[in-house]
């Protein structure tokens, strides 16, 4: 019994983040990220309490089958991969800037394939090595408000830098999708 207790205690004390994220939609169709702090002091300072909702600005052309959106959903976990762990609190800097697009396998921006399909869910889950059910991938935005370069992914165990393994020419040799 004592051994079982120690095993369970060690499982719960593994390096997991002190905060969680969840996508929410308001009745006015505004997207926000619900941040729950779970006794994390940095998160509580960011939220001015035990949790908060960060409104995500409208993403221009994200509800589309554009090259950028198709690439993001089709290549998540394949050509867009998680690399080294980064300071998890750098995510708060990105959230505070408001210049980001967040995607999950349950994103309403996905009109490329079936909503939260098993294949799409597996590609997103491939970004995390800890079994996170719904990783949140974050992209920067262009000045025009469209999705741009992959930045980071939130997993239960940490925040990781996202990297695009390939560059894709969008309009010939003069324009590269980053």
């Amino acid at each position: 019994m004592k051994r079982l207790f120690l095993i369970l205690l060690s499982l719960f004390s593994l390096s997991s983040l002190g905060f969680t994220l969840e996508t929410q939609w308001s009745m006015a169709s505004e997207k926000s990220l619900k941040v729950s702090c779970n006794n994390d002091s940095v998160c509580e300072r960011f939220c001015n309490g035990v949790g908060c909702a960060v409104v995500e600005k409208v993403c221009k052309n994200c509800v589309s089958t554009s090259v950028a959106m198709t690439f993001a959903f089709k290549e998540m976990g394949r050509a867009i991969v998680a690399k080294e762990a980064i300071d998890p609190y750098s995510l708060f800097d990105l959230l505070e800037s408001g210049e980001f697009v967040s995607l999950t396998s349950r994103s309403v921006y996905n009109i490329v394939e079936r909503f939260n399909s098993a294949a799409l869910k597996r590609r997103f889950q491939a970004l995390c090595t800890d079994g996170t059910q719904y990783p949140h991938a974050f992209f920067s935005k262009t000045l025009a408000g469209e999705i741009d370069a992959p930045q980071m992914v939130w997993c239960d165990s940490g925040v990781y830098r996202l990297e695009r393994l390939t560059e894709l020419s969008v309009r010939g040799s003069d324009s590269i999708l980053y």
Side-chain angles (χ1 to χ4, degrees), residues 1-175:
M1 184 68 168
K2 188 176 182 180
R3 178 179 273 174
L4 178 63
F5 175 76
L6 290 174
I7 291 171
L8 288 174
L9 181 64
S10 67
L11 287 174
F12 288 112
S13 63
L14 289 175
S15 64
S16 64
L17 282 180
F19 61 93
T20 58
L21 297 178
E22 182 182 336
T23 303
Q24 295 182 323
W25 287 88
S26 73
M27 295 301 283
S29 298
E30 291 179 319
K31 182 180 178 185
S32 64
L33 293 172
K34 178 184 174 190
V35 181
S36 300
C37 293
N38 307 329
N39 296 319
D40 184 290
S41 61
V42 175
C43 177
E44 288 175 358
R45 277 195 305 267
F46 174 79
C47 286
N48 294 320
V50 296
C52 57
V54 177
V55 176
E56 187 173 328
K57 294 179 186 176
V58 174
C59 176
K60 184 179 175 188
N61 294 329
C62 279
V63 180
S64 72
T65 55
S66 68
V67 171
M69 293 308 291
T70 300
F71 185 81
F73 285 109
K74 291 287 190 183
E75 296 304 323
M76 192 66 65
R78 297 190 298 204
I80 299 172
V81 297
K83 290 297 188 177
E84 72 275 352
I86 58 176
D87 178 2
Y89 304 114
S90 61
L91 178 56
F92 292 129
D93 293 335
L94 184 64
L95 295 177
E96 188 172 42
S97 77
E99 299 304 319
F100 65 90
V101 175
S102 68
L103 300 177
T104 70
S105 63
R106 298 186 292 188
S107 177
V108 297
Y109 293 149
N110 172 26
I111 60 172
V112 174
E113 58 182 84
R114 194 169 50 84
F115 179 81
N116 201 30
S117 70
L120 182 60
K121 191 173 176 180
R122 274 193 305 277
R123 287 197 301 272
F124 271 87
Q125 289 173 340
L127 298 172
C128 303
T129 59
D130 60 8
T132 301
Q133 285 295 309
Y134 295 101
H136 282 70
F138 290 87
F139 291 75
S140 59
K141 279 186 173 180
T142 65
L143 292 175
E146 298 177 328
I147 193 169
D148 198 20
Q151 297 295 304
M152 58 188 77
V153 61
W154 172 86
C155 301
D156 288 338
S157 64
V159 177
Y160 301 88
R161 183 176 61 82
L162 282 181
E163 180 177 297
R164 185 179 356 254
L165 297 179
T166 60
E167 291 183 352
L168 177 64
S169 175
V170 179
R171 294 179 196 96
S173 61
D174 63 330
S175 181

